Amino acid sequence: MIELLLSRRSTRKFLTRKVEQEKKDKLIEAALLSPTAKNLHSCEFITVENENLIKTLAGSKRHGASFMAEAPMAIVIIGNTDKTDVWVEDAAIAAITVQLEAEGLGLGSCWVQIRNRHYSENKTAGDYVKELLNIPENYEVEAVIAIGYKGTPTKDNLLETLDRSRIHTEKYRS
Ligand SMILES: Cc1cc2nc3c(=O)[nH]c(=O)nc-3n(C[C@H](O)[C@H](O)[C@H](O)COP(=O)(O)O)c2cc1C
């Protein structure tokens, strides 16, 4: 696990190479295997490979999404707000699980935050994505994970540079 965590970095440049079906199946299995509060499975996933849809998704907010236009695939992570009040946590866990599985499969990925972000002054990024993908009213969009083969190599994280001052023992220090 530490090896995966060291090598996983956000990938925002992708090759045009398609992700093989076998790998797509694994990504979906990882998403479905991620734990959810009370085992209620509050999150659902929309896989998107259609180029036009991905390009339109990349326009869901002004900053931090445009790179996705060139991604060969994306997984939209949505939460059923009727099922639980902790759908955000469920969806976030699923998102990182998918990202780590992607890394393990030799793919790159990047999280595109949708929840609490805006498409325009009057429209949320979530509503923009919901309209685009026919997502029912009682769901919210957490994030879109852009996935594909890495277009540029990423630098691994280093154990030596971890900020260990963020770790507290027994009590928070004064
Ligand atoms: C909750 C969350 C939201 C993020 N939103 C975006 C985003 O909207 N666009 C983007 O390009 N990267 C986004 N990222 C990626 C972070 O910028 C990235 O993980 C962070 O800078 C650390 O870099 P690394 O992933 O290469 O380790 C997000 C990551 C997280 C965990």
Side-chain angles (χ1 to χ4, degrees), residues 120-168:
S120 67
E121 207 173 306
N122 303 316
K123 190 180 223 166
T124 66
D127 283 344
Y128 174 92
V129 175
K130 280 171 79 168
E131 276 173 32
L132 179 69
L133 303 179
N134 292 339
I135 298 168
E137 203 47 44
N138 59 318
Y139 285 77
E140 291 298 336
V141 184
E142 168 73 357
V144 181
I145 307 299
I147 302 170
Y149 282 93
K150 297 178 188 183
T152 47
T154 49
K155 268 195 180 166
D156 284 7
N157 289 305
L158 296 171
L159 287 177
E160 300 74 53
T161 59
L162 294 182
D163 175 8
R164 293 180 190 270
S165 72
R166 290 162 57 206
I167 303 297
H168 308 278

Tab-separated table of all heavy atoms in Angstrom, residues 120-168:
chain	number	residue	atom	x	y	z
A	120	SER	N	-21.199	28.680	-12.871
A	120	SER	CA	-21.359	30.110	-13.113
A	120	SER	C	-21.913	30.722	-11.837
A	120	SER	O	-22.133	30.005	-10.850
A	120	SER	CB	-22.337	30.336	-14.275
A	120	SER	OG	-23.626	29.908	-13.877
A	121	GLU	N	-22.201	32.002	-11.895
A	121	GLU	CA	-22.702	32.685	-10.703
A	121	GLU	C	-24.010	32.057	-10.212
A	121	GLU	O	-24.266	31.974	-9.023
A	121	GLU	CB	-22.921	34.154	-11.046
A	121	GLU	CG	-22.811	35.068	-9.845
A	121	GLU	CD	-22.869	36.510	-10.281
A	121	GLU	OE1	-22.054	36.885	-11.160
A	121	GLU	OE2	-23.747	37.223	-9.765
A	122	ASN	N	-24.812	31.615	-11.175
A	122	ASN	CA	-26.145	31.121	-10.815
A	122	ASN	C	-26.297	29.606	-10.866
A	122	ASN	O	-27.386	29.104	-10.617
A	122	ASN	CB	-27.196	31.733	-11.762
A	122	ASN	CG	-27.139	33.229	-11.719
A	122	ASN	OD1	-27.048	33.808	-10.634
A	122	ASN	ND2	-27.150	33.858	-12.885
A	123	LYS	N	-25.255	28.929	-11.238
A	123	LYS	CA	-25.391	27.481	-11.391
A	123	LYS	C	-24.220	26.752	-10.746
A	123	LYS	O	-23.059	27.121	-10.973
A	123	LYS	CB	-25.449	27.157	-12.883
A	123	LYS	CG	-25.824	25.732	-13.168
A	123	LYS	CD	-25.859	25.493	-14.664
A	123	LYS	CE	-27.067	24.691	-15.009
A	123	LYS	NZ	-27.367	24.691	-16.412
A	124	THR	N	-24.547	25.736	-9.979
A	124	THR	CA	-23.461	24.971	-9.370
A	124	THR	C	-22.876	24.003	-10.399
A	124	THR	O	-23.549	23.611	-11.366
A	124	THR	CB	-23.961	24.145	-8.162
A	124	THR	OG1	-24.873	23.154	-8.635
A	124	THR	CG2	-24.629	25.011	-7.107
A	125	ALA	N	-21.644	23.610	-10.132
A	125	ALA	CA	-21.006	22.611	-11.004
A	125	ALA	C	-21.792	21.304	-10.906
A	125	ALA	O	-21.941	20.571	-11.893
A	125	ALA	CB	-19.553	22.410	-10.579
A	126	GLY	N	-22.331	21.031	-9.717
A	126	GLY	CA	-23.113	19.810	-9.519
A	126	GLY	C	-24.353	19.792	-10.401
A	126	GLY	O	-24.662	18.775	-11.036
A	127	ASP	N	-25.071	20.915	-10.451
A	127	ASP	CA	-26.279	20.971	-11.292
A	127	ASP	C	-25.916	20.845	-12.770
A	127	ASP	O	-26.640	20.220	-13.553
A	127	ASP	CB	-27.054	22.267	-11.030
A	127	ASP	CG	-27.838	22.181	-9.721
A	127	ASP	OD1	-28.013	21.048	-9.211
A	127	ASP	OD2	-28.253	23.229	-9.208
A	128	TYR	N	-24.789	21.435	-13.133
A	128	TYR	CA	-24.323	21.338	-14.533
A	128	TYR	C	-24.085	19.864	-14.901
A	128	TYR	O	-24.542	19.387	-15.928
A	128	TYR	CB	-23.043	22.159	-14.651
A	128	TYR	CG	-22.308	22.086	-15.970
A	128	TYR	CD1	-22.566	22.999	-16.985
A	128	TYR	CD2	-21.313	21.129	-16.174
A	128	TYR	CE1	-21.867	22.951	-18.189
A	128	TYR	CE2	-20.612	21.072	-17.373
A	128	TYR	CZ	-20.886	21.988	-18.363
A	128	TYR	OH	-20.189	21.925	-19.547
A	129	VAL	N	-23.403	19.148	-14.011
A	129	VAL	CA	-23.109	17.727	-14.286
A	129	VAL	C	-24.393	16.901	-14.225
A	129	VAL	O	-24.617	16.011	-15.053
A	129	VAL	CB	-22.050	17.189	-13.285
A	129	VAL	CG1	-21.825	15.696	-13.471
A	129	VAL	CG2	-20.735	17.946	-13.436
A	130	LYS	N	-25.277	17.226	-13.283
A	130	LYS	CA	-26.531	16.470	-13.157
A	130	LYS	C	-27.374	16.600	-14.424
A	130	LYS	O	-27.913	15.617	-14.928
A	130	LYS	CB	-27.323	16.960	-11.937
A	130	LYS	CG	-26.798	16.380	-10.626
A	130	LYS	CD	-27.425	17.028	-9.407
A	130	LYS	CE	-28.806	16.494	-9.120
A	130	LYS	NZ	-29.280	16.934	-7.779
A	131	GLU	N	-27.461	17.818	-14.947
A	131	GLU	CA	-28.240	18.024	-16.184
A	131	GLU	C	-27.611	17.276	-17.352
A	131	GLU	O	-28.287	16.620	-18.134
A	131	GLU	CB	-28.282	19.518	-16.534
A	131	GLU	CG	-29.367	20.262	-15.813
A	131	GLU	CD	-29.270	21.764	-16.038
A	131	GLU	OE1	-28.828	22.207	-17.122
A	131	GLU	OE2	-29.623	22.502	-15.094
A	132	LEU	N	-26.287	17.384	-17.435
A	132	LEU	CA	-25.574	16.766	-18.563
A	132	LEU	C	-25.762	15.248	-18.587
A	132	LEU	O	-25.912	14.642	-19.649
A	132	LEU	CB	-24.075	17.106	-18.445
A	132	LEU	CG	-23.155	16.536	-19.517
A	132	LEU	CD1	-23.429	17.217	-20.864
A	132	LEU	CD2	-21.687	16.729	-19.125
A	133	LEU	N	-25.763	14.634	-17.398
A	133	LEU	CA	-25.742	13.161	-17.339
A	133	LEU	C	-27.059	12.561	-16.840
A	133	LEU	O	-27.096	11.373	-16.493
A	133	LEU	CB	-24.574	12.703	-16.450
A	133	LEU	CG	-23.175	13.199	-16.856
A	133	LEU	CD1	-22.126	12.680	-15.880
A	133	LEU	CD2	-22.823	12.761	-18.275
A	134	ASN	N	-28.118	13.378	-16.811
A	134	ASN	CA	-29.453	12.863	-16.384
A	134	ASN	C	-29.442	12.281	-14.983
A	134	ASN	O	-30.069	11.248	-14.735
A	134	ASN	CB	-29.949	11.740	-17.315
A	134	ASN	CG	-30.264	12.237	-18.681
A	134	ASN	OD1	-30.498	13.426	-18.865
A	134	ASN	ND2	-30.254	11.339	-19.646
A	135	ILE	N	-28.743	12.908	-14.091
A	135	ILE	CA	-28.665	12.384	-12.715
A	135	ILE	C	-29.911	12.827	-11.943
A	135	ILE	O	-30.265	14.010	-11.962
A	135	ILE	CB	-27.366	12.890	-12.042
A	135	ILE	CG1	-26.150	12.354	-12.818
A	135	ILE	CG2	-27.306	12.471	-10.576
A	135	ILE	CD1	-24.832	12.994	-12.442
A	136	PRO	N	-30.591	11.881	-11.263
A	136	PRO	CA	-31.825	12.237	-10.559
A	136	PRO	C	-31.611	13.290	-9.468
A	136	PRO	O	-30.517	13.442	-8.921
A	136	PRO	CB	-32.290	10.909	-9.945
A	136	PRO	CG	-31.542	9.850	-10.658
A	136	PRO	CD	-30.262	10.459	-11.156
A	137	GLU	N	-32.713	13.943	-9.143
A	137	GLU	CA	-32.736	15.055	-8.192
A	137	GLU	C	-32.112	14.699	-6.830
A	137	GLU	O	-31.386	15.496	-6.244
A	137	GLU	CB	-34.216	15.453	-7.998
A	137	GLU	CG	-34.452	16.854	-7.508
A	137	GLU	CD	-33.636	17.903	-8.262
A	137	GLU	OE1	-33.544	17.856	-9.516
A	137	GLU	OE2	-33.082	18.766	-7.569
A	138	ASN	N	-32.397	13.499	-6.340
A	138	ASN	CA	-31.958	13.141	-4.987
A	138	ASN	C	-30.498	12.666	-4.909
A	138	ASN	O	-30.093	12.045	-3.922
A	138	ASN	CB	-32.878	12.069	-4.390
A	138	ASN	CG	-32.924	10.805	-5.224
A	138	ASN	OD1	-32.981	10.880	-6.458
A	138	ASN	ND2	-32.895	9.654	-4.590
A	139	TYR	N	-29.733	12.931	-5.949
A	139	TYR	CA	-28.302	12.613	-5.933
A	139	TYR	C	-27.509	13.913	-5.976
A	139	TYR	O	-27.957	14.897	-6.549
A	139	TYR	CB	-27.913	11.760	-7.148
A	139	TYR	CG	-28.361	10.328	-7.042
A	139	TYR	CD1	-29.690	9.981	-7.270
A	139	TYR	CD2	-27.455	9.321	-6.705
A	139	TYR	CE1	-30.113	8.666	-7.159
A	139	TYR	CE2	-27.871	8.002	-6.592
A	139	TYR	CZ	-29.201	7.677	-6.828
A	139	TYR	OH	-29.605	6.377	-6.711
A	140	GLU	N	-26.322	13.880	-5.385
A	140	GLU	CA	-25.388	14.994	-5.527
A	140	GLU	C	-24.098	14.458	-6.132
A	140	GLU	O	-23.770	13.283	-5.972
A	140	GLU	CB	-25.092	15.648	-4.178
A	140	GLU	CG	-26.276	16.397	-3.571
A	140	GLU	CD	-26.774	17.577	-4.415
A	140	GLU	OE1	-25.984	18.119	-5.221
A	140	GLU	OE2	-27.955	17.941	-4.260
A	141	VAL	N	-23.396	15.352	-6.815
A	141	VAL	CA	-22.139	14.949	-7.457
A	141	VAL	C	-20.977	15.338	-6.556
A	141	VAL	O	-20.846	16.501	-6.180
A	141	VAL	CB	-21.973	15.626	-8.834
A	141	VAL	CG1	-20.708	15.132	-9.527
A	141	VAL	CG2	-23.203	15.382	-9.704
A	142	GLU	N	-20.172	14.366	-6.196
A	142	GLU	CA	-19.005	14.640	-5.359
A	142	GLU	C	-17.829	15.097	-6.216
A	142	GLU	O	-17.242	16.147	-5.989
A	142	GLU	CB	-18.620	13.359	-4.599
A	142	GLU	CG	-17.265	13.390	-3.903
A	142	GLU	CD	-17.252	14.254	-2.661
A	142	GLU	OE1	-18.273	14.880	-2.347
A	142	GLU	OE2	-16.202	14.327	-2.016
A	143	ALA	N	-17.469	14.288	-7.184
A	143	ALA	CA	-16.246	14.540	-7.954
A	143	ALA	C	-16.290	13.751	-9.244
A	143	ALA	O	-17.101	12.835	-9.414
A	143	ALA	CB	-15.027	14.100	-7.135
A	144	VAL	N	-15.426	14.138	-10.138
A	144	VAL	CA	-15.192	13.340	-11.340
A	144	VAL	C	-13.726	12.920	-11.282
A	144	VAL	O	-12.851	13.758	-11.016
A	144	VAL	CB	-15.446	14.153	-12.623
A	144	VAL	CG1	-15.227	13.279	-13.852
A	144	VAL	CG2	-16.850	14.748	-12.637
A	145	ILE	N	-13.461	11.647	-11.499
A	145	ILE	CA	-12.072	11.187	-11.533
A	145	ILE	C	-11.694	10.970	-12.997
A	145	ILE	O	-12.280	10.122	-13.680
A	145	ILE	CB	-11.878	9.874	-10.729
A	145	ILE	CG1	-12.432	10.014	-9.295
A	145	ILE	CG2	-10.397	9.495	-10.703
A	145	ILE	CD1	-11.775	11.096	-8.455
A	146	ALA	N	-10.762	11.791	-13.462
A	146	ALA	CA	-10.246	11.649	-14.830
A	146	ALA	C	-9.170	10.568	-14.806
A	146	ALA	O	-8.316	10.552	-13.914
A	146	ALA	CB	-9.651	12.971	-15.291
A	147	ILE	N	-9.234	9.661	-15.767
A	147	ILE	CA	-8.323	8.501	-15.744
A	147	ILE	C	-7.773	8.206	-17.139
A	147	ILE	O	-8.495	8.341	-18.141
A	147	ILE	CB	-9.067	7.244	-15.232
A	147	ILE	CG1	-9.644	7.497	-13.837
A	147	ILE	CG2	-8.154	6.015	-15.208
A	147	ILE	CD1	-10.587	6.418	-13.324
A	148	GLY	N	-6.525	7.806	-17.191
A	148	GLY	CA	-5.940	7.383	-18.466
A	148	GLY	C	-4.476	7.057	-18.280
A	148	GLY	O	-3.938	7.168	-17.162
A	149	TYR	N	-3.844	6.663	-19.367
A	149	TYR	CA	-2.395	6.423	-19.290
A	149	TYR	C	-1.686	7.762	-19.147
A	149	TYR	O	-2.051	8.756	-19.788
A	149	TYR	CB	-1.929	5.666	-20.536
A	149	TYR	CG	-2.267	4.200	-20.441
A	149	TYR	CD1	-3.450	3.701	-20.965
A	149	TYR	CD2	-1.411	3.331	-19.764
A	149	TYR	CE1	-3.779	2.350	-20.835
A	149	TYR	CE2	-1.726	1.988	-19.632
A	149	TYR	CZ	-2.911	1.504	-20.170
A	149	TYR	OH	-3.227	0.173	-20.021
A	150	LYS	N	-0.661	7.769	-18.296
A	150	LYS	CA	0.052	9.021	-17.995
A	150	LYS	C	0.756	9.564	-19.237
A	150	LYS	O	1.537	8.845	-19.870
A	150	LYS	CB	1.082	8.786	-16.884
A	150	LYS	CG	0.465	8.367	-15.566
A	150	LYS	CD	1.512	8.091	-14.476
A	150	LYS	CE	0.830	7.486	-13.254
A	150	LYS	NZ	1.723	7.252	-12.120
A	151	GLY	N	0.503	10.823	-19.538
A	151	GLY	CA	1.134	11.470	-20.686
A	151	GLY	C	2.531	11.965	-20.353
A	151	GLY	O	3.386	12.073	-21.225
A	152	THR	N	2.721	12.308	-19.102
A	152	THR	CA	4.058	12.712	-18.637
A	152	THR	C	4.313	11.974	-17.329
A	152	THR	O	3.377	11.773	-16.543
A	152	THR	CB	4.141	14.236	-18.376
A	152	THR	OG1	2.986	14.622	-17.618
A	152	THR	CG2	4.179	15.040	-19.655
A	153	PRO	N	5.556	11.580	-17.094
A	153	PRO	CA	5.817	10.858	-15.847
A	153	PRO	C	5.590	11.782	-14.647
A	153	PRO	O	5.819	12.991	-14.745
A	153	PRO	CB	7.284	10.446	-15.967
A	153	PRO	CG	7.849	11.207	-17.102
A	153	PRO	CD	6.752	11.790	-17.908
A	154	THR	N	5.131	11.226	-13.558
A	154	THR	CA	4.955	12.046	-12.351
A	154	THR	C	6.055	11.682	-11.353
A	154	THR	O	6.604	10.593	-11.400
A	154	THR	CB	3.565	11.783	-11.718
A	154	THR	OG1	3.377	10.367	-11.608
A	154	THR	CG2	2.454	12.386	-12.550
A	155	LYS	N	6.343	12.634	-10.489
A	155	LYS	CA	7.385	12.412	-9.473
A	155	LYS	C	6.777	11.725	-8.275
A	155	LYS	O	5.779	12.209	-7.727
A	155	LYS	CB	7.950	13.765	-9.014
A	155	LYS	CG	9.142	14.218	-9.787
A	155	LYS	CD	9.819	15.351	-9.029
A	155	LYS	CE	11.033	15.819	-9.807
A	155	LYS	NZ	11.537	17.096	-9.339
A	156	ASP	N	7.369	10.645	-7.851
A	156	ASP	CA	6.851	9.945	-6.676
A	156	ASP	C	6.917	10.827	-5.435
A	156	ASP	O	7.780	11.707	-5.321
A	156	ASP	CB	7.700	8.693	-6.390
A	156	ASP	CG	7.392	7.568	-7.360
A	156	ASP	OD1	6.629	7.786	-8.325
A	156	ASP	OD2	7.914	6.460	-7.149
A	157	ASN	N	6.014	10.592	-4.512
A	157	ASN	CA	6.144	11.188	-3.183
A	157	ASN	C	7.355	10.565	-2.492
A	157	ASN	O	7.765	9.438	-2.836
A	157	ASN	CB	4.891	10.879	-2.353
A	157	ASN	CG	3.683	11.642	-2.838
A	157	ASN	OD1	3.711	12.860	-2.927
A	157	ASN	ND2	2.614	10.927	-3.153
A	158	LEU	N	7.917	11.277	-1.536
A	158	LEU	CA	9.091	10.754	-0.817
A	158	LEU	C	8.794	10.664	0.671
A	158	LEU	O	8.267	11.620	1.262
A	158	LEU	CB	10.289	11.700	-1.015
A	158	LEU	CG	10.811	11.838	-2.448
A	158	LEU	CD1	11.834	12.966	-2.510
A	158	LEU	CD2	11.408	10.512	-2.915
A	159	LEU	N	9.145	9.545	1.264
A	159	LEU	CA	8.931	9.407	2.709
A	159	LEU	C	9.712	10.471	3.470
A	159	LEU	O	9.261	10.984	4.492
A	159	LEU	CB	9.358	8.007	3.171
A	159	LEU	CG	8.434	6.858	2.779
A	159	LEU	CD1	9.012	5.527	3.245
A	159	LEU	CD2	7.034	7.057	3.371
A	160	GLU	N	10.899	10.834	2.930
A	160	GLU	CA	11.788	11.783	3.639
A	160	GLU	C	11.161	13.172	3.763
A	160	GLU	O	11.531	13.943	4.643
A	160	GLU	CB	13.126	11.946	2.907
A	160	GLU	CG	13.953	10.686	2.743
A	160	GLU	CD	13.390	9.741	1.688
A	160	GLU	OE1	13.168	10.196	0.564
A	160	GLU	OE2	13.145	8.563	2.002
A	161	THR	N	10.230	13.517	2.873
A	161	THR	CA	9.697	14.886	2.904
A	161	THR	C	8.342	14.976	3.627
A	161	THR	O	7.712	16.032	3.621
A	161	THR	CB	9.548	15.451	1.472
A	161	THR	OG1	8.675	14.581	0.751
A	161	THR	CG2	10.884	15.543	0.766
A	162	LEU	N	7.915	13.891	4.239
A	162	LEU	CA	6.632	13.940	4.955
A	162	LEU	C	6.712	14.933	6.117
A	162	LEU	O	7.720	14.973	6.830
A	162	LEU	CB	6.265	12.549	5.494
A	162	LEU	CG	5.965	11.488	4.452
A	162	LEU	CD1	5.568	10.180	5.156
A	162	LEU	CD2	4.868	11.938	3.505
A	163	ASP	N	5.656	15.699	6.294
A	163	ASP	CA	5.601	16.658	7.396
A	163	ASP	C	5.099	15.945	8.646
A	163	ASP	O	3.895	15.879	8.903
A	163	ASP	CB	4.657	17.812	7.022
A	163	ASP	CG	4.460	18.779	8.171
A	163	ASP	OD1	5.171	18.646	9.201
A	163	ASP	OD2	3.591	19.656	8.046
A	164	ARG	N	6.040	15.419	9.387
A	164	ARG	CA	5.667	14.602	10.544
A	164	ARG	C	5.154	15.444	11.708
A	164	ARG	O	4.629	14.906	12.685
A	164	ARG	CB	6.837	13.705	10.954
A	164	ARG	CG	7.114	12.656	9.849
A	164	ARG	CD	8.247	11.720	10.160
A	164	ARG	NE	8.588	10.942	8.971
A	164	ARG	CZ	8.055	9.763	8.653
A	164	ARG	NH1	7.157	9.222	9.423
A	164	ARG	NH2	8.419	9.135	7.550
A	165	SER	N	5.242	16.785	11.606
A	165	SER	CA	4.685	17.644	12.666
A	165	SER	C	3.150	17.577	12.663
A	165	SER	O	2.514	18.044	13.608
A	165	SER	CB	5.137	19.097	12.474
A	165	SER	OG	4.474	19.660	11.359
A	166	ARG	N	2.569	17.015	11.636
A	166	ARG	CA	1.109	16.883	11.593
A	166	ARG	C	0.619	15.694	12.418
A	166	ARG	O	-0.580	15.503	12.569
A	166	ARG	CB	0.641	16.712	10.140
A	166	ARG	CG	0.805	17.979	9.304
A	166	ARG	CD	0.751	17.660	7.819
A	166	ARG	NE	-0.469	16.997	7.432
A	166	ARG	CZ	-0.576	16.187	6.364
A	166	ARG	NH1	0.465	15.957	5.590
A	166	ARG	NH2	-1.713	15.627	6.085
A	167	ILE	N	1.563	14.930	12.906
A	167	ILE	CA	1.198	13.772	13.721
A	167	ILE	C	1.346	14.135	15.195
A	167	ILE	O	2.367	14.697	15.598
A	167	ILE	CB	2.124	12.560	13.408
A	167	ILE	CG1	2.058	12.216	11.922
A	167	ILE	CG2	1.771	11.352	14.271
A	167	ILE	CD1	0.700	11.782	11.431
A	168	HIS	N	0.345	13.834	15.973
A	168	HIS	CA	0.344	14.152	17.398
A	168	HIS	C	0.228	12.858	18.186
A	168	HIS	O	-0.474	11.939	17.759
A	168	HIS	CB	-0.812	15.100	17.728
A	168	HIS	CG	-0.818	16.301	16.829
A	168	HIS	ND1	-0.035	17.408	17.040
A	168	HIS	CD2	-1.464	16.519	15.660
A	168	HIS	CE1	-0.221	18.279	16.055
A	168	HIS	NE2	-1.080	17.756	15.203
